[in-house]
Amino acid sequence: MFSLKNYLTSDGELTAKGRRLLVGGSWLYFLMLCILCFIPQVPEPGMETPGIQYFGRIVVLLIPFNSFVNIGEITSWIQLVKVFIQNLANIFLLSPLIFQLLCLFPKLRSSKKIICLSFAISLSIEVTQILLDLLINANRVFEIDDLWTNTLGGYLTWRVFQFYRKKIKDSKQNLS
């Protein structure tokens, strides 16, 4: 039977077994993130993103808050839903990885460090997508909005982690 006691200490820190589980989970999520962000994309007909700029094989979207700025160019409800889902997905894209890293590395546990880490990971993804376009024409897009949505997601994950830690501490005090 599954028991959190095998994976967490009474103060909510990881046991050796919990640490092994999250290290494996972090690598697995990192691999899935690479597949999601770096495999070549096939453009969907009728779903052209407004504001896209082309510089040879490099495709960029440098308009901040593009979804709001160009909302008038959305031509269908399906396209509107897809834009909404894409932005929401970008907010939560890094969340599982950030949460696991917060559990594994207590030195990361500050707003500033998490915001910087989330931004750095997001920027690395976007720059790698440009490099892939140069090397293999992967049809990826460097999107400025991905930087802030991914960073926001990292910060929100930090807040969830803090809430989780407080709940564990409160339950520990109630048992005493």
PDB file of all heavy atoms in Angstrom, residues 34-58:
ATOM      1  N   CYS A  34      11.418  18.296 -23.254  1.00  0.00           N
ATOM      2  CA  CYS A  34      12.248  18.407 -24.465  1.00  0.00           C
ATOM      3  C   CYS A  34      11.494  17.920 -25.695  1.00  0.00           C
ATOM      4  O   CYS A  34      11.532  18.566 -26.745  1.00  0.00           O
ATOM      5  CB  CYS A  34      13.550  17.625 -24.297  1.00  0.00           C
ATOM      6  SG  CYS A  34      14.710  18.406 -23.161  1.00  0.00           S
ATOM      7  N   ILE A  35      10.814  16.799 -25.558  1.00  0.00           N
ATOM      8  CA  ILE A  35      10.039  16.272 -26.695  1.00  0.00           C
ATOM      9  C   ILE A  35       8.956  17.276 -27.087  1.00  0.00           C
ATOM     10  O   ILE A  35       8.795  17.603 -28.267  1.00  0.00           O
ATOM     11  CB  ILE A  35       9.431  14.892 -26.346  1.00  0.00           C
ATOM     12  CG1 ILE A  35      10.549  13.854 -26.243  1.00  0.00           C
ATOM     13  CG2 ILE A  35       8.396  14.478 -27.382  1.00  0.00           C
ATOM     14  CD1 ILE A  35      10.111  12.531 -25.636  1.00  0.00           C
ATOM     15  N   LEU A  36       8.226  17.775 -26.119  1.00  0.00           N
ATOM     16  CA  LEU A  36       7.142  18.714 -26.383  1.00  0.00           C
ATOM     17  C   LEU A  36       7.642  20.009 -27.033  1.00  0.00           C
ATOM     18  O   LEU A  36       7.015  20.524 -27.958  1.00  0.00           O
ATOM     19  CB  LEU A  36       6.411  19.041 -25.079  1.00  0.00           C
ATOM     20  CG  LEU A  36       5.262  20.025 -25.181  1.00  0.00           C
ATOM     21  CD1 LEU A  36       4.092  19.387 -25.919  1.00  0.00           C
ATOM     22  CD2 LEU A  36       4.832  20.477 -23.805  1.00  0.00           C
ATOM     23  N   CYS A  37       8.757  20.509 -26.554  1.00  0.00           N
ATOM     24  CA  CYS A  37       9.229  21.828 -26.998  1.00  0.00           C
ATOM     25  C   CYS A  37      10.135  21.792 -28.225  1.00  0.00           C
ATOM     26  O   CYS A  37      10.325  22.823 -28.871  1.00  0.00           O
ATOM     27  CB  CYS A  37       9.971  22.524 -25.858  1.00  0.00           C
ATOM     28  SG  CYS A  37       8.914  22.940 -24.461  1.00  0.00           S
ATOM     29  N   PHE A  38      10.713  20.633 -28.537  1.00  0.00           N
ATOM     30  CA  PHE A  38      11.738  20.633 -29.571  1.00  0.00           C
ATOM     31  C   PHE A  38      11.451  19.780 -30.799  1.00  0.00           C
ATOM     32  O   PHE A  38      12.157  19.886 -31.789  1.00  0.00           O
ATOM     33  CB  PHE A  38      13.091  20.222 -28.976  1.00  0.00           C
ATOM     34  CG  PHE A  38      13.529  21.100 -27.843  1.00  0.00           C
ATOM     35  CD1 PHE A  38      14.079  20.553 -26.707  1.00  0.00           C
ATOM     36  CD2 PHE A  38      13.372  22.475 -27.901  1.00  0.00           C
ATOM     37  CE1 PHE A  38      14.484  21.363 -25.653  1.00  0.00           C
ATOM     38  CE2 PHE A  38      13.767  23.291 -26.857  1.00  0.00           C
ATOM     39  CZ  PHE A  38      14.338  22.728 -25.735  1.00  0.00           C
ATOM     40  N   ILE A  39      10.426  18.926 -30.765  1.00  0.00           N
ATOM     41  CA  ILE A  39      10.155  18.161 -31.984  1.00  0.00           C
ATOM     42  C   ILE A  39       9.602  19.131 -33.037  1.00  0.00           C
ATOM     43  O   ILE A  39       8.919  20.097 -32.708  1.00  0.00           O
ATOM     44  CB  ILE A  39       9.183  16.983 -31.752  1.00  0.00           C
ATOM     45  CG1 ILE A  39       7.833  17.467 -31.235  1.00  0.00           C
ATOM     46  CG2 ILE A  39       9.781  15.942 -30.846  1.00  0.00           C
ATOM     47  CD1 ILE A  39       6.770  16.391 -31.198  1.00  0.00           C
ATOM     48  N   PRO A  40       9.908  18.885 -34.293  1.00  0.00           N
ATOM     49  CA  PRO A  40       9.393  19.772 -35.346  1.00  0.00           C
ATOM     50  C   PRO A  40       7.866  19.801 -35.349  1.00  0.00           C
ATOM     51  O   PRO A  40       7.208  18.801 -35.067  1.00  0.00           O
ATOM     52  CB  PRO A  40       9.933  19.138 -36.636  1.00  0.00           C
ATOM     53  CG  PRO A  40      11.158  18.395 -36.197  1.00  0.00           C
ATOM     54  CD  PRO A  40      10.828  17.884 -34.815  1.00  0.00           C
ATOM     55  N   GLN A  41       7.329  20.978 -35.645  1.00  0.00           N
ATOM     56  CA  GLN A  41       5.878  21.155 -35.698  1.00  0.00           C
ATOM     57  C   GLN A  41       5.406  21.236 -37.142  1.00  0.00           C
ATOM     58  O   GLN A  41       6.109  21.747 -37.997  1.00  0.00           O
ATOM     59  CB  GLN A  41       5.468  22.449 -34.999  1.00  0.00           C
ATOM     60  CG  GLN A  41       5.489  22.378 -33.519  1.00  0.00           C
ATOM     61  CD  GLN A  41       4.907  23.637 -32.903  1.00  0.00           C
ATOM     62  OE1 GLN A  41       5.076  24.726 -33.415  1.00  0.00           O
ATOM     63  NE2 GLN A  41       4.218  23.472 -31.800  1.00  0.00           N
ATOM     64  N   VAL A  42       4.203  20.767 -37.354  1.00  0.00           N
ATOM     65  CA  VAL A  42       3.549  20.906 -38.652  1.00  0.00           C
ATOM     66  C   VAL A  42       2.492  21.991 -38.483  1.00  0.00           C
ATOM     67  O   VAL A  42       1.635  21.885 -37.598  1.00  0.00           O
ATOM     68  CB  VAL A  42       2.902  19.574 -39.088  1.00  0.00           C
ATOM     69  CG1 VAL A  42       2.164  19.742 -40.392  1.00  0.00           C
ATOM     70  CG2 VAL A  42       3.937  18.476 -39.158  1.00  0.00           C
ATOM     71  N   PRO A  43       2.551  23.053 -39.298  1.00  0.00           N
ATOM     72  CA  PRO A  43       1.553  24.117 -39.150  1.00  0.00           C
ATOM     73  C   PRO A  43       0.141  23.594 -39.400  1.00  0.00           C
ATOM     74  O   PRO A  43      -0.076  22.764 -40.276  1.00  0.00           O
ATOM     75  CB  PRO A  43       1.940  25.146 -40.215  1.00  0.00           C
ATOM     76  CG  PRO A  43       3.225  24.704 -40.797  1.00  0.00           C
ATOM     77  CD  PRO A  43       3.491  23.306 -40.361  1.00  0.00           C
ATOM     78  N   GLU A  44      -0.795  24.062 -38.603  1.00  0.00           N
ATOM     79  CA  GLU A  44      -2.190  23.659 -38.751  1.00  0.00           C
ATOM     80  C   GLU A  44      -2.878  24.640 -39.704  1.00  0.00           C
ATOM     81  O   GLU A  44      -2.916  25.839 -39.439  1.00  0.00           O
ATOM     82  CB  GLU A  44      -2.869  23.680 -37.383  1.00  0.00           C
ATOM     83  CG  GLU A  44      -4.216  23.043 -37.368  1.00  0.00           C
ATOM     84  CD  GLU A  44      -4.795  22.972 -35.967  1.00  0.00           C
ATOM     85  OE1 GLU A  44      -4.039  22.922 -34.992  1.00  0.00           O
ATOM     86  OE2 GLU A  44      -6.029  22.987 -35.869  1.00  0.00           O
ATOM     87  N   PRO A  45      -3.422  24.152 -40.813  1.00  0.00           N
ATOM     88  CA  PRO A  45      -4.083  25.056 -41.761  1.00  0.00           C
ATOM     89  C   PRO A  45      -5.227  25.820 -41.103  1.00  0.00           C
ATOM     90  O   PRO A  45      -5.987  25.257 -40.317  1.00  0.00           O
ATOM     91  CB  PRO A  45      -4.610  24.114 -42.854  1.00  0.00           C
ATOM     92  CG  PRO A  45      -3.885  22.829 -42.668  1.00  0.00           C
ATOM     93  CD  PRO A  45      -3.470  22.768 -41.236  1.00  0.00           C
ATOM     94  N   GLY A  46      -5.299  27.105 -41.395  1.00  0.00           N
ATOM     95  CA  GLY A  46      -6.355  27.939 -40.852  1.00  0.00           C
ATOM     96  C   GLY A  46      -6.095  28.426 -39.437  1.00  0.00           C
ATOM     97  O   GLY A  46      -6.941  29.067 -38.842  1.00  0.00           O
ATOM     98  N   MET A  47      -4.932  28.093 -38.870  1.00  0.00           N
ATOM     99  CA  MET A  47      -4.622  28.485 -37.495  1.00  0.00           C
ATOM    100  C   MET A  47      -3.346  29.342 -37.451  1.00  0.00           C
ATOM    101  O   MET A  47      -2.527  29.196 -36.573  1.00  0.00           O
ATOM    102  CB  MET A  47      -4.429  27.252 -36.612  1.00  0.00           C
ATOM    103  CG  MET A  47      -5.679  26.476 -36.333  1.00  0.00           C
ATOM    104  SD  MET A  47      -6.925  27.373 -35.396  1.00  0.00           S
ATOM    105  CE  MET A  47      -6.120  27.593 -33.850  1.00  0.00           C
ATOM    106  N   GLU A  48      -3.195  30.232 -38.426  1.00  0.00           N
ATOM    107  CA  GLU A  48      -2.025  31.089 -38.450  1.00  0.00           C
ATOM    108  C   GLU A  48      -2.084  32.046 -37.265  1.00  0.00           C
ATOM    109  O   GLU A  48      -3.126  32.638 -36.980  1.00  0.00           O
ATOM    110  CB  GLU A  48      -1.943  31.885 -39.765  1.00  0.00           C
ATOM    111  CG  GLU A  48      -1.625  31.025 -40.980  1.00  0.00           C
ATOM    112  CD  GLU A  48      -2.827  30.226 -41.479  1.00  0.00           C
ATOM    113  OE1 GLU A  48      -3.976  30.647 -41.262  1.00  0.00           O
ATOM    114  OE2 GLU A  48      -2.601  29.146 -42.055  1.00  0.00           O
ATOM    115  N   THR A  49      -0.970  32.203 -36.591  1.00  0.00           N
ATOM    116  CA  THR A  49      -0.903  33.085 -35.428  1.00  0.00           C
ATOM    117  C   THR A  49      -0.654  34.503 -35.892  1.00  0.00           C
ATOM    118  O   THR A  49       0.313  34.764 -36.602  1.00  0.00           O
ATOM    119  CB  THR A  49       0.227  32.624 -34.480  1.00  0.00           C
ATOM    120  OG1 THR A  49       0.007  31.267 -34.121  1.00  0.00           O
ATOM    121  CG2 THR A  49       0.267  33.477 -33.234  1.00  0.00           C
ATOM    122  N   PRO A  50      -1.505  35.446 -35.482  1.00  0.00           N
ATOM    123  CA  PRO A  50      -1.276  36.842 -35.868  1.00  0.00           C
ATOM    124  C   PRO A  50      -0.016  37.386 -35.202  1.00  0.00           C
ATOM    125  O   PRO A  50       0.311  37.016 -34.082  1.00  0.00           O
ATOM    126  CB  PRO A  50      -2.511  37.575 -35.350  1.00  0.00           C
ATOM    127  CG  PRO A  50      -3.352  36.592 -34.631  1.00  0.00           C
ATOM    128  CD  PRO A  50      -2.709  35.261 -34.709  1.00  0.00           C
ATOM    129  N   GLY A  51       0.681  38.266 -35.914  1.00  0.00           N
ATOM    130  CA  GLY A  51       1.860  38.917 -35.354  1.00  0.00           C
ATOM    131  C   GLY A  51       3.164  38.182 -35.594  1.00  0.00           C
ATOM    132  O   GLY A  51       4.223  38.652 -35.185  1.00  0.00           O
ATOM    133  N   ILE A  52       3.120  37.031 -36.246  1.00  0.00           N
ATOM    134  CA  ILE A  52       4.329  36.248 -36.512  1.00  0.00           C
ATOM    135  C   ILE A  52       5.235  37.026 -37.465  1.00  0.00           C
ATOM    136  O   ILE A  52       4.766  37.643 -38.419  1.00  0.00           O
ATOM    137  CB  ILE A  52       3.962  34.880 -37.150  1.00  0.00           C
ATOM    138  CG1 ILE A  52       3.262  33.993 -36.140  1.00  0.00           C
ATOM    139  CG2 ILE A  52       5.150  34.182 -37.748  1.00  0.00           C
ATOM    140  CD1 ILE A  52       4.153  33.289 -35.163  1.00  0.00           C
ATOM    141  N   GLN A  53       6.540  36.968 -37.211  1.00  0.00           N
ATOM    142  CA  GLN A  53       7.527  37.565 -38.100  1.00  0.00           C
ATOM    143  C   GLN A  53       8.505  36.480 -38.530  1.00  0.00           C
ATOM    144  O   GLN A  53       8.870  35.607 -37.739  1.00  0.00           O
ATOM    145  CB  GLN A  53       8.293  38.683 -37.385  1.00  0.00           C
ATOM    146  CG  GLN A  53       7.412  39.856 -37.000  1.00  0.00           C
ATOM    147  CD  GLN A  53       8.186  40.856 -36.166  1.00  0.00           C
ATOM    148  OE1 GLN A  53       8.742  40.511 -35.135  1.00  0.00           O
ATOM    149  NE2 GLN A  53       8.220  42.092 -36.639  1.00  0.00           N
ATOM    150  N   TYR A  54       8.929  36.563 -39.776  1.00  0.00           N
ATOM    151  CA  TYR A  54       9.865  35.580 -40.327  1.00  0.00           C
ATOM    152  C   TYR A  54      11.171  36.272 -40.666  1.00  0.00           C
ATOM    153  O   TYR A  54      11.196  37.312 -41.306  1.00  0.00           O
ATOM    154  CB  TYR A  54       9.278  34.943 -41.597  1.00  0.00           C
ATOM    155  CG  TYR A  54       8.024  34.154 -41.334  1.00  0.00           C
ATOM    156  CD1 TYR A  54       6.768  34.767 -41.368  1.00  0.00           C
ATOM    157  CD2 TYR A  54       8.082  32.804 -41.039  1.00  0.00           C
ATOM    158  CE1 TYR A  54       5.612  34.042 -41.126  1.00  0.00           C
ATOM    159  CE2 TYR A  54       6.930  32.084 -40.787  1.00  0.00           C
ATOM    160  CZ  TYR A  54       5.700  32.711 -40.833  1.00  0.00           C
ATOM    161  OH  TYR A  54       4.554  32.000 -40.587  1.00  0.00           O
ATOM    162  N   PHE A  55      12.256  35.667 -40.214  1.00  0.00           N
ATOM    163  CA  PHE A  55      13.604  36.112 -40.566  1.00  0.00           C
ATOM    164  C   PHE A  55      14.312  34.892 -41.137  1.00  0.00           C
ATOM    165  O   PHE A  55      14.992  34.164 -40.412  1.00  0.00           O
ATOM    166  CB  PHE A  55      14.343  36.658 -39.336  1.00  0.00           C
ATOM    167  CG  PHE A  55      13.669  37.842 -38.713  1.00  0.00           C
ATOM    168  CD1 PHE A  55      12.818  37.683 -37.630  1.00  0.00           C
ATOM    169  CD2 PHE A  55      13.863  39.116 -39.225  1.00  0.00           C
ATOM    170  CE1 PHE A  55      12.185  38.775 -37.055  1.00  0.00           C
ATOM    171  CE2 PHE A  55      13.227  40.218 -38.664  1.00  0.00           C
ATOM    172  CZ  PHE A  55      12.395  40.042 -37.580  1.00  0.00           C
ATOM    173  N   GLY A  56      14.085  34.649 -42.431  1.00  0.00           N
ATOM    174  CA  GLY A  56      14.571  33.409 -43.029  1.00  0.00           C
ATOM    175  C   GLY A  56      13.811  32.258 -42.402  1.00  0.00           C
ATOM    176  O   GLY A  56      12.583  32.256 -42.361  1.00  0.00           O
ATOM    177  N   ARG A  57      14.550  31.287 -41.859  1.00  0.00           N
ATOM    178  CA  ARG A  57      13.909  30.132 -41.212  1.00  0.00           C
ATOM    179  C   ARG A  57      13.564  30.408 -39.750  1.00  0.00           C
ATOM    180  O   ARG A  57      12.911  29.596 -39.114  1.00  0.00           O
ATOM    181  CB  ARG A  57      14.818  28.908 -41.312  1.00  0.00           C
ATOM    182  CG  ARG A  57      14.861  28.410 -42.726  1.00  0.00           C
ATOM    183  CD  ARG A  57      15.572  27.127 -42.994  1.00  0.00           C
ATOM    184  NE  ARG A  57      16.339  26.470 -41.975  1.00  0.00           N
ATOM    185  CZ  ARG A  57      17.132  25.452 -42.221  1.00  0.00           C
ATOM    186  NH1 ARG A  57      17.274  25.004 -43.444  1.00  0.00           N
ATOM    187  NH2 ARG A  57      17.795  24.879 -41.256  1.00  0.00           N
ATOM    188  N   ILE A  58      13.987  31.530 -39.227  1.00  0.00           N
ATOM    189  CA  ILE A  58      13.682  31.861 -37.840  1.00  0.00           C
ATOM    190  C   ILE A  58      12.307  32.527 -37.782  1.00  0.00           C
ATOM    191  O   ILE A  58      12.030  33.480 -38.498  1.00  0.00           O
ATOM    192  CB  ILE A  58      14.752  32.796 -37.243  1.00  0.00           C
ATOM    193  CG1 ILE A  58      16.110  32.090 -37.226  1.00  0.00           C
ATOM    194  CG2 ILE A  58      14.351  33.236 -35.839  1.00  0.00           C
ATOM    195  CD1 ILE A  58      17.245  32.969 -36.785  1.00  0.00           C
TER     196      ILE A  58
END
